[in-house]
């Protein structure tokens, strides 16, 4: 393990490289313990660079086996090689030259899943962000673009399949028992997009004809025998390719597009040029083993990686500070894609839920950072909800401010102007400023200021003059390294809903407003509307047009009015959710103080009415019925959190709703969607509604019987896991639950991805007792500490999906996590660091738990041999 050097990288120190790479030829002789890598690179000194400036190449745990300049062995006095760098002196002043670097690496021993490693006998690479330097010495940074030719040599029996980026040039026998293949990628790319895969895999094939009539071969490689489970991913791939042509005019640019599914992967998937590598969880699906949520994830991730071909690959990032340039934008594009494939409001509701659940707490805690960070110690720790999800929201706001047409023009200009380049956020924003004539200087603060802005809103209605005024004031709390903040540009979509449910049309007399959006650009601003015929109810931040929190005194009656009449479906859900949140927060506070909970009849009535309202989409009703989670309530309360009182208050409210709607829920739970199973949005919505209804009706009945019957009769994984979850979470001690868990285990023990659901459901069973269950499950024969998916399913679900279990009053949850993090850090620092981020909200806990959390973190930071990844997270978590 490479331990921390304490080095910090700063955006302001950016400098282009001294040497320009023209092209690179790589040859791999694959071997599990001794793979030979020969890299021939043609470079020249950049104009203006001093003649004695050395060439400095990055490495990571490398040993140099050979070094040549223009084919001649280089004098030892002219270079220095360490595991992390290779420095070469005495290179030509102006003429291009070729250096040949030979390294030997051991893929089998590479447990970090970065660089070249092996998973189930398959050789595979992961180079983002800095994995290429674990393969060969190179200028491993995104602004070094080169044309790659790659030759892979391997034993035929071990690796009948030899893949790399670009188009296949040719191949054949090499020597006794070995063969080779050569690939050429004509598009200049940074090293992080390099990929190689070699092994014995099954394939499904298809093809796509681009809008200009070019034929593209499509291949998805999976383990033998699992080919049919890649059918859905293939379908999504073709839909994504078509969508990018139709919506952005972007065509695919190689003869072949390949996806390889592997079972050991640190992230979701990777957009390597022409050769995407996926965590198999996001490729494999069939009704028997995948849930509706799995299908939805596959849809979005396949699309996301494909969309990177233009936003990320053809136009890439100048440096890693600009990560959101490709990630935020590509998430924005996959959101739009999914909205077009499914119900747009329901999709948006789930995005809002994700943003609030993951990004808001990040922004409110010690790990808060701007969408474009200004410094980092370990870039791997910046693949965050802020960079991805908030980064996407920022792009969405640009579109809100510019309007659809100008936004598309700006994107066209961006593709046109920067194709083949490595660029910055400034370059991106300049395109939108130019096409719209707007000054985006203030808007650009969204990229540099961390934290979630808060907007307090007050309204005055003057009946005599028919004037309605809205006063808004924005604040932004300090975040690590940023104590003072500037005033931002917040685009807030709005509606004024009148007494009769109609909407007042008309823009305000004062304050900037266009197309249904109020532009809050000052600290405090009043927007005045005239000729408003009755007291309106303000629906603000409709559709979550800006990722902010709104503080507004709004009565339950007004929220109910919005929920009933708003023309925007997302806003109707927001009103219901706000109503539920207000009530749950009050209930949790009362419970903590030992007071009886407030009456929840009003909330229960409106939820039951929504459940029964057949004019509404089923998926929408399911969303409305899913009350804010314990963690959502905790976030609203903000400090001095007692997870137990939150849980008990929430359960009381759930029970009230369940009682009030017992008959409605009973009927809905029985409305099992049609057979055979289909993963489309409509039928998924039907299952979501019957699933949430099942959970309410079981609560009302106080018996596991109904859930057990559903479990036994389930013919698809969605319904099966819904029922299993009701059993395990509501009736942990029941015989039915034990039986269902055992049935599930014996039926799916050969399918690790399905066993992940079994681990996760058990790990999320609320309450202090779950900790021992989690420990026992870690000894289960189905568990594998080395596999990131298994760790996330068990440990990750426990720490981020089980507030009462993880935050146990005796601190045992924190200690369990910290011990596991230290153990994994030895093998896979990226995974260890990511798991540790579950501690990020520790300061919001009540003092007793806070102290126990602190002690667990201090124990981690006291360990001398920590990876840079974990060192960075633990120190920021303690400091913030
Ligand atoms: N670039 C990948 C994506 O978002 C994520 C990733 C980052 C994968 C780093 C692996 C390593 O699509
Ligand atoms: Zn991405």
């Amino acid at each position: 393990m490479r331990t921390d050097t304490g080095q910090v990288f700063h955006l302001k120190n950016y400098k282009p490289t001294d040497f320009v790479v023209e092209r690179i030829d790589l040859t791999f002789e694959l071997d599990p313990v001794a793979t030979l890598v020969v890299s021939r690179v043609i470079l020249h000194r950049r104009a203006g660079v001093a003649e004695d400036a050395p060439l400095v190449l990055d490495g990571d745990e490398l040993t140099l086996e050979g070094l040549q300049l223009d084919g001649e062995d280089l004098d030892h006095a002219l270079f220095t090689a360490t595991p992390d760098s290779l420095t070469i002196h005495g290179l030509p002043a102006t003429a291009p030259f070729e250096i040949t670097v030979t390294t030997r690496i051991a893929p089998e021993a590479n447990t970090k899943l970065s660089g070249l490693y092996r998973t189930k006998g398959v050789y595979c690479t992961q180079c983002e962000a800095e994995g290429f330097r674990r393969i060969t010495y190179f200028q491993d940074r995104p602004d070094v673009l080169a044309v790659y030719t790659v030759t892979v040599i391997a034993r035929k029996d071990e690796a009948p399949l030899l893949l790399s980026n670009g188009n296949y040039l040719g191949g054949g026998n090499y020597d006794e028992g070995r063969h080779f293949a050569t690939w050429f990628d004509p598009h200049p790319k940074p090293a992080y997009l390099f990929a190689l895969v070699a092994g014995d895999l099954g394939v499904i094939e298809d093809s796509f004809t681009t809008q200009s009539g070019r034929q593209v071969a499509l291949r998805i490689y999976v383990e033998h025998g699992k080919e049919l489970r890649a059918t859905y991913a293939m379908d999504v791939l073709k839909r994504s390719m078509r969508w990018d042509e139709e919506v952005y005019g972007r065509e695919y640019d190689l003869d072949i597009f390949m996806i390889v599914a592997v079972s050991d992967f640190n992230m979701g998937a990777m957009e390597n040029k022409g050769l995407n590598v996926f965590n198999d969880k996001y490729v494999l699906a069939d009704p028997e083993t995948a849930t509706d949520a799995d299908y939805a994830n596959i849809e979005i991730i396949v699309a996301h990686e494909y969309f990177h071909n233009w936003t990320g690959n053809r136009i890439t990032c100048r440096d890693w500070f600009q990560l959101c340039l490709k990630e935020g934008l590509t998430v924005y594009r996959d959101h739009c894609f999914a909205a077009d494939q499914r119900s747009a409001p329901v999709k948006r509701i789930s995005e809002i839920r994700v943003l609030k659940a993951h990004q808001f707490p990040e922004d409110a805690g010690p790990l808060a950072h701007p969408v474009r960070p200004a410094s980092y110690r370990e870039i791997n720790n910046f693949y965050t909800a802020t960079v991805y999800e908030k980064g996407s929201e920022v792009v969405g706001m640009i579109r809100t401010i510019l309007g659809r047409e100008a936004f598309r023009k700006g994107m066209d200009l961006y593709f046109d102007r920067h194709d083949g380049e490595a660029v910055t956020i400034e370059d991106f924003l300049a395109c939108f400023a130019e096409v719209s004539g707007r000054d985006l200087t203030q808007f650009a603060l969204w990229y540099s200021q961390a934290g979630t802005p808060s907007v307090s809103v007050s309204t005055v209605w003057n009946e005599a003059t028919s004037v309605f005024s809205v006063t808004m004031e924005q604040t932004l709390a300090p975040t690590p390294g940023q104590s003072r903040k500037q005033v931002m540009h917040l685009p807030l979509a709005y509606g004024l809903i009148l007494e009769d449910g109609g909407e007042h049309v008309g823009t305000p007399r004062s304050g900037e407003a266009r197309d249904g959006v109020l532009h809050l650009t000052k600290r405090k601003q009043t927007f005045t509307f005239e000729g408003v015929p009755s007291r309106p109810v303000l629906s603000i931040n409709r559709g979550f047009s800006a990722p902010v929190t709104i503080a507004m005194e709004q009565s339950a009656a007004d929220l109910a009015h919005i929920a009933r009449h708003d023309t925007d479906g997302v806003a109707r859900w927001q009103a219901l959710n706000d109503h539920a949140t207000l009530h749950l927060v009050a209930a949790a506070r009362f419970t903590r103080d030992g007071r009886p909970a407030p009456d929840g009849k009003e909330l229960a009535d409106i939820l039951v009415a929504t459940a029964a309202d057949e004019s509404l989409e089923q998926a929408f009703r399911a969303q409305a019925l899913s009350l804010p989670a314990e963690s959502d309530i905790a976030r609203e309360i903000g400090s001095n959190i007692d997870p137990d009182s939150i849980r008990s208050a929430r359960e009381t409210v759930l029970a009230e709703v369940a009682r009030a709607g017992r008959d409605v829920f009973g009927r809905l739970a029985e409305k099992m969607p049609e057979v055979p199973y289909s993963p489309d949005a409509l039928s998924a919505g039907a299952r979501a509604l019957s699933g949430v209804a099942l959970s309410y009706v079981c609560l009302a009945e106080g018996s596991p019987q109904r859930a057990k019957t559903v479990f036994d009769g389930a013919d698809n994984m969605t319904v099966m896991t819904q029922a299993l979850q009701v059993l395990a979470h509501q009736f942990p001690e029941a015989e039915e639950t034990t039986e269902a868990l055992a049935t599930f285990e014996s039926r799916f023990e050969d399918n690790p991805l399905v066993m992940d659901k079994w681990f996760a459901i058990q790990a999320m069973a609320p309450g202090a007792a779950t900790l021992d269950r989690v420990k026992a499950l870690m000894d289960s024969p189905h568990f594998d500490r080395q596999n990131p998916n298994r760790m996330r399913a068990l440990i990750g679900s426990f720490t981020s999906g089980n507030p009462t279990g993880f935050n146990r009053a005796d601190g045992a949850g924190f200690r369990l996590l910290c011990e596991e993090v230290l153990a994994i850090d030895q093998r896979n620092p990226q995974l260890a660091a990511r798991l540790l981020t579950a501690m990020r909200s520790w300061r919001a806990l009540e003092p007793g738990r806070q102290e126990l959390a602190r002690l667990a973190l201090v124990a981690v930071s006291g360990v001398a041999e920590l990876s840079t990844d974990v060192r960075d997270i633990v120190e920021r978590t303690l400091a913030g």
Side-chain angles (χ1 to χ4, degrees):
M1 181 175 67
R2 192 164 56 131
T3 49
D4 188 41
T5 58
Q7 191 178 359
V8 178
F9 300 88
H10 297 275
L11 168 60
K12 62 173 194 295
N13 293 346
Y14 173 82
K15 214 170 109 320
T17 56
D18 287 350
F19 291 85
V20 179
V21 176
E22 295 175 7
R23 47 171 300 153
I24 173 166
D25 278 29
L26 289 165
T27 304
F28 289 81
E29 283 189 50
L30 294 173
D31 181 273
V33 294
T35 289
L36 194 72
V37 184
V38 180
S39 158
R40 290 192 302 144
V41 190
I42 298 178
L43 304 112
H44 65 259
R45 194 177 296 266
R46 195 184 294 276
V49 170
E51 286 188 10
D52 60 351
L55 171 64
V56 183
L57 304 179
D58 304 297
D60 181 5
E61 299 183 315
L62 288 181
T63 36
L64 184 69
E65 296 236 330
L67 179 60
Q68 290 156 321
L69 173 63
D70 293 325
E72 304 281 329
D73 280 348
L74 203 66
D75 184 342
H76 272 79
L78 289 176
F79 68 90
T80 339
T82 71
D84 323 320
S85 79
L86 172 60
T87 305
I88 310 174
H89 294 273
L91 293 167
T94 49
F97 57 90
E98 183 187 84
I99 59 158
T100 306
V101 178
T102 305
T103 49
R104 201 179 290 275
I105 52 180
E108 187 98 334
N110 182 359
T111 57
K112 294 186 177 174
L113 312 186
S114 163
L116 176 63
Y117 64 98
R118 280 188 111 202
T119 158
K120 294 205 171 172
V122 177
Y123 293 93
C124 124
T125 56
Q126 173 51 49
C127 293
E128 186 175 6
E130 297 177 336
F132 193 72
R133 62 183 65 183
R134 297 172 55 73
I135 296 172
T136 185
Y137 292 102
F138 192 67
Q139 303 189 99
D140 186 10
R141 36 187 282 177
D143 61 344
V144 174
L145 309 182
V147 171
Y148 283 63
T149 307
V150 180
T151 298
V152 189
I153 302 160
R155 273 185 17 222
K156 281 184 223 168
D157 58 343
E158 193 176 77
L161 187 72
L162 306 171
L163 309 176
S164 190
N165 317 86
N167 298 320
Y168 179 68
L169 276 192
N173 288 325
Y174 187 71
D175 57 15
E176 191 54 40
R178 292 201 295 178
H179 65 155
F180 78 98
T182 301
W183 293 81
F184 174 68
D185 180 2
H187 301 283
K189 65 168 175 291
Y192 82 84
L193 291 173
F194 165 78
L196 173 160
V197 172
D200 188 2
L201 291 165
V203 66
I204 63 163
E205 299 190 60
D206 207 323
S207 74
F208 180 85
T209 310
T210 68
Q211 61 186 8
S212 68
R214 227 151 50 75
Q215 279 269 113
V216 180
L218 307 179
R219 296 200 187 133
I220 302 184
Y221 294 97
V222 297
E223 263 174 55
H224 286 292
K226 296 187 176 169
E227 292 84 352
L228 288 178
R229 287 166 62 194
T231 317
Y232 185 74
M234 183 64 91
D235 171 57
V236 177
L237 174 60
K238 288 186 287 182
R239 281 189 274 136
S240 314
M241 295 177 86
R242 189 61 73 213
W243 189 89
D244 216 13
E245 292 183 343
E246 285 169 355
V247 179
Y248 285 96
R250 297 294 118 196
E251 257 190 53
Y252 187 62
D253 52 7
L254 289 167
D255 302 339
I256 182 166
F257 185 86
M258 299 174 279
I259 289 176
V260 180
V262 300
S263 39
D264 295 85
F265 201 73
N266 276 338
M267 310 279 278
M270 179 63 212
E271 71 267 23
N272 317 301
K273 184 77 188 192
L275 179 56
N276 288 186
V277 175
F278 271 59
N279 184 327
D280 60 358
K281 176 179 163 67
Y282 299 119
V283 174
L284 301 174
D286 62 21
E288 210 204 321
T289 59
T291 61
D292 291 327
D294 292 328
Y295 279 98
N297 282 331
I298 291 172
E299 181 166 66
I300 210 155
I301 295 178
V302 169
H304 178 99
E305 306 310 331
Y306 176 72
F307 296 154
H308 267 314
N309 190 55
W310 275 96
T311 49
N313 300 6
R314 289 288 289 252
I315 304 180
T316 194
C317 305
R318 187 192 72 175
D319 51 64
W320 289 121
F321 298 102
Q322 321 292 330
L323 183 57
C324 65
L325 178 81
K326 73 176 177 84
E327 295 304 347
L329 177 56
T330 305
V331 170
Y332 175 74
R333 278 152 51 71
D334 78 50
H335 282 176
C336 297
F337 168 76
D340 283 355
Q341 310 284 310
R342 290 161 179 261
S343 151
V346 171
K347 177 67 178 63
R348 185 63 186 148
I349 291 166
S350 63
E351 286 160 18
I352 298 170
R353 288 199 122 124
V354 167
L355 188 78
K356 289 185 167 185
H358 300 286
Q359 201 278 324
F360 277 26
E362 186 165 272
D363 239 353
L367 300 180
H369 56 274
V371 170
R372 180 174 65 182
S375 67
Y376 61 76
R377 261 165 98 173
E378 175 51 69
I379 188 57
N380 289 329
N381 289 337
F382 285 84
Y383 289 80
T384 59
T386 297
V387 169
Y388 276 67
E389 262 64 48
K390 190 175 177 182
S392 162
E393 296 300 319
V394 175
V395 176
M397 285 188 285
I398 297 176
R399 178 170 147 158
T400 301
I401 292 169
L402 265 64
R404 203 168 58 98
E405 267 178 49
F407 177 76
R408 170 68 203 265
K409 276 199 192 124
M411 286 298 296
D412 286 349
L413 178 60
Y414 177 65
F415 289 128
D416 229 48
R417 178 180 285 173
H418 296 297
D419 187 13
E421 296 180 359
V423 304
T424 62
I425 289 300
E426 283 74 12
D427 296 322
F428 178 66
L429 288 177
C431 295
F432 296 104
E434 197 167 312
V435 298
S436 67
R438 262 175 230 286
D439 179 355
L440 295 174
T441 318
Q442 186 186 19
F443 181 79
L445 290 168
W446 278 104
Y447 286 100
S448 59
Q449 294 198 138
T452 305
S454 169
V455 182
S456 69
V457 184
S458 60
T459 61
V460 179
W461 154 244
N462 186 326
E463 184 158 15
T465 58
S466 303
V467 167
F468 180 68
S469 60
V470 180
T471 300
M472 301 202 276
E473 187 171 352
Q474 58 169 297
T475 51
L476 183 52
T479 48
Q482 295 184 333
S483 48
R484 290 172 51 100
K485 311 266 184 171
Q486 287 169 262
V487 172
M488 304 190 36
H489 177 180
L490 315 182
L492 298 161
Y494 74 100
L496 306 186
I497 303 175
L498 302 171
E499 249 160 32
D500 64 359
E503 199 171 315
H504 173 74
V505 284
T507 45
R509 161 160 55 82
S510 62
E512 193 197 346
R514 272 174 283 118
D515 310 325
V517 179
L518 301 177
H519 294 268
L520 182 59
T521 53
K522 304 199 174 71
R523 191 178 60 79
K524 190 171 180 181
Q525 229 168 323
T526 298
F527 299 83
T528 311
F529 297 86
E530 289 172 340
V532 184
S534 64
R535 184 187 80 89
V537 174
L538 175 66
S539 172
I540 192 76
N541 205 17
R542 263 184 174 170
F544 221 62
S545 60
V548 301
T549 57
I550 300 285
M552 171 164 56
E553 299 266 327
Q554 229 166 4
S555 67
D558 280 359
L559 288 170
H561 193 66
I562 300 175
R564 210 165 303 126
H565 298 292
D566 203 306
T567 49
D568 183 273
V570 182
R572 287 202 299 274
W573 170 81
Q574 286 174 289
L576 282 173
N577 193 250
D578 287 350
H579 183 176
T581 305
L582 280 175
H583 182 72
L584 286 161
V585 165
R589 289 213 166 101
F590 282 31
T591 308
R592 188 187 59 202
D593 303 345
R595 288 186 282 166
D599 180 19
K601 186 171 178 327
E602 205 176 354
L603 176 65
D605 286 348
I606 187 164
L607 289 177
V608 174
T610 307
D613 185 346
E614 304 211 337
S615 73
L616 298 169
E617 270 184 272
Q618 287 169 307
F620 178 90
R621 287 145 76 193
Q623 284 285 5
L625 289 173
S626 309
L627 288 188
E630 290 164 32
S631 51
D632 294 314
I633 303 166
R635 190 185 62 245
E636 291 298 324
I637 296 175
S639 61
N640 198 16
I641 301 299
D642 167 22
D644 294 326
S645 57
I646 291 178
R647 175 183 165 206
S648 94
R650 185 173 183 274
E651 283 181 355
T652 307
V653 175
L654 281 172
E656 250 176 308
V657 177
R659 269 197 310 279
R662 183 173 175 153
D663 298 337
V664 173
F665 295 135
R667 274 199 306 279
L668 289 173
E670 268 153 34
K671 254 210 207 149
M672 277 300 146
E674 77 297 340
V675 209
Y677 176 94
S678 143
D680 66 274
L682 210 64
S683 27
R687 279 183 294 272
L689 182 58
S690 62
V692 64
L694 176 70
S695 129
Y696 278 113
V697 73
C698 289
L699 203 58
E701 290 170 353
S703 150
Q705 201 41 62
R706 191 192 280 261
K708 184 61 170 34
T709 309
V710 171
F711 178 87
D712 291 335
D715 74 340
N716 66 75
M717 187 46 66
T718 306
V719 170
M720 193 162 207
T721 47
Q722 282 169 344
L724 188 63
Q725 173 154 327
V726 170
L727 289 168
H729 293 190
Q730 287 185 30
F731 310 98
E733 306 302 333
E735 220 169 273
E736 286 86 347
T737 303
T738 314
E739 208 183 289
L741 284 167
T743 308
F744 193 98
E745 178 182 6
S746 61
R747 185 156 158 204
F748 297 107
E749 63 185 350
D750 295 331
N751 188 328
L753 292 176
V754 181
M755 290 309 288
D756 283 347
K757 303 177 195 304
W758 186 79
F759 286 122
I761 286 173
Q762 296 182 74
M764 292 192 289
T770 302
L771 184 106
D772 289 328
R773 171 71 72 94
V774 169
K775 285 188 170 163
L777 286 171
M778 294 188 77
D779 294 329
S780 143
H782 316 301
F783 191 68
D784 173 4
R785 272 191 171 77
Q786 329 285 22
N787 179 279
N789 286 352
R790 291 314 79 74
M791 282 302 281
R792 286 186 285 249
L794 186 55
I795 304 296
S797 303
F798 177 64
T799 57
S800 39
N802 190 346
T804 49
F806 176 53
N807 300 295
R808 249 167 72 137
D810 64 0
F814 310 135
R815 290 193 292 275
L816 173 70
L817 173 65
C818 289
E819 281 159 23
E820 287 304 320
V821 164
L822 287 174
I824 309 156
D825 195 35
Q826 307 289 322
R827 299 176 47 86
N828 187 340
Q830 269 187 57
L831 176 64
R834 190 158 286 258
L835 288 172
L836 187 58
T837 62
M839 297 289 288
R840 68 184 172 200
S841 299
W842 68 281
R843 275 187 207 274
L845 295 167
E846 50 82 19
R849 286 176 169 85
Q850 213 181 110
E851 179 58 10
L852 293 165
R854 193 185 67 80
L855 289 172
L857 286 164
V858 166
V860 173
S861 78
V863 172
E865 285 271 297
L866 284 184
S867 64
T868 309
D869 309 59
V870 168
R871 173 72 61 205
D872 173 42
I873 295 291
V874 73
E875 289 189 356
R876 282 195 282 142
T877 304
L878 277 166

